[in-house]
Amino acid sequence: DQQVKQNSPSLSVQEGRISILNCDYTNSMFDYFLWYKKYPAEGPTFLISISSIKDKNEDGRFTVFLNKSAKHLSLHIVPSQPGDSAVYFCAASGASGAGSYQLTFGKGTKLSVIP
Amino acid sequence: EAGVTQSPTHLIKTRGQQATLRCSPISGHTSVYWYQQALGLGLQFLLWYDEGEERNRGNFPPRFSGRQFPNYSSELNVNALELEDSALYLCASSLSGTSGMETQYFGPGTRLLVL
């Protein structure tokens, strides 16, 4: 049972345009959400997070939106740059009861930004 | 400030052997998490240590074990290695995982190959 889903395995975007990566979750107990960027054979790099009490968080070119009623979050990258090309993982925590804060990851979306 | 470090970067073992992987968290972080990324699969939670104690474990057999030392570094041991244990093992650290809102920062990973 996949609790965090990234339904698009890949996405191609022209340089300078907006990239929108989507993520859906099924467990309403999740209360903290994060986006990570990953290059092959490297560890994930933290990008941005949002707690369940907010619906938007912005950091430079990156904005995360959370729609709790739809159990959906998205990452917007504006403007997209070739260096943004990587696999993006959505992750969530807080679903395993009090004191359990491990992350549950989606399977990732490979973003390709075309110059 | 140094990030999360892991050693070794690569490890080759044969079936039935034991593997030991090491992780040093970011200075000031007391929580250490271990994740496995097997080929074709997403990142799966393995173990969580905080203040020297195992706080939670994922859906992995008991031959996956570990410990956390007084300096908060951690060791992951995999006994009786099987071919399907071949994967990228990632360590992450965070401030004390007691609020559920601490961001986890990842190391570069150890690539384990079981022959």
Side-chain angles (χ1 to χ4, degrees):
Chain A
D1 176 31
Q2 205 179 336
Q3 298 189 68
V4 177
K5 298 177 186 177
Q6 293 177 257
N7 292 319
S8 298
S10 63
L11 175 68
S12 288
V13 171
Q14 210 67 31
E15 180 180 2
R17 306 295 290 269
I18 184 171
S19 295
I20 300 176
L21 296 98
N22 294 304
C23 178
D24 296 296
Y25 61 96
T26 57
N27 195 325
S28 57
M29 294 296 289
F30 286 134
D31 57 11
Y32 189 53
F33 303 89
L34 308 90
W35 284 94
Y36 288 88
K37 173 182 176 180
K38 188 179 184 299
Y39 296 111
E42 291 185 10
T45 300
F46 169 71
L47 283 174
I48 193 168
S49 63
I50 189 167
S51 74
S52 58
I53 60 172
K54 294 187 172 183
D55 55 17
K56 178 183 174 181
N57 189 25
E58 202 169 345
D59 184 1
R61 296 187 299 116
F62 301 94
T63 303
V64 57
F65 295 91
L66 175 62
N67 182 332
K68 280 177 59 181
S69 60
K71 295 190 179 69
H72 176 83
L73 66 156
S74 60
L75 174 68
H76 293 209
I77 305 174
V78 183
S80 301
Q81 300 172 353
D84 295 330
S85 297
V87 178
Y88 288 76
F89 288 94
C90 169
S93 74
S96 301
S100 295
Y101 303 123
Q102 66 270 12
L103 297 175
T104 300
F105 284 87
K107 294 201 169 178
T109 296
K110 183 176 182 180
L111 174 66
S112 299
V113 180
I114 304 159
Chain B
E1 181 182 306
V4 177
T5 60
Q6 292 186 244
S7 64
T9 53
H10 292 83
L11 190 57
I12 300 175
K13 294 284 185 179
T14 56
R15 269 173 43 185
Q17 284 189 313
Q18 180 197 42
T20 298
L21 289 66
R22 296 179 178 84
C23 171
S24 290
I26 291 171
S27 177
H29 286 187
T30 61
S31 272
V32 170
Y33 304 79
W34 287 95
Y35 295 86
Q36 181 199 66
Q37 186 182 27
L39 193 63
L41 299 178
L43 288 93
Q44 305 286 326
F45 166 70
L46 262 167
L47 289 159
W48 170 32
Y49 293 95
D50 184 61
E51 296 286 356
E53 294 191 15
E54 182 180 303
R55 299 294 185 182
N56 203 9
R57 65 179 294 128
N59 189 25
F60 282 85
R63 57 191 186 82
F64 286 84
S65 65
R67 52 180 171 166
Q68 186 178 34
F69 299 99
N71 66 354
Y72 304 113
S73 67
S74 177
E75 203 172 80
L76 173 69
N77 295 296
V78 189
N79 293 319
L81 284 165
E82 299 179 2
L83 295 178
E84 53 264 35
D85 296 333
S86 296
L88 180 66
Y89 289 83
L90 292 160
C91 171
S93 75
S94 75
L95 295 170
S96 180
T98 54
S99 79
M101 302 286 180
E102 287 87 13
T103 297
Q104 293 181 28
Y105 296 90
F106 285 80
T110 292
R111 174 73 63 184
L112 172 64
L113 178 60
V114 182
L115 302 174

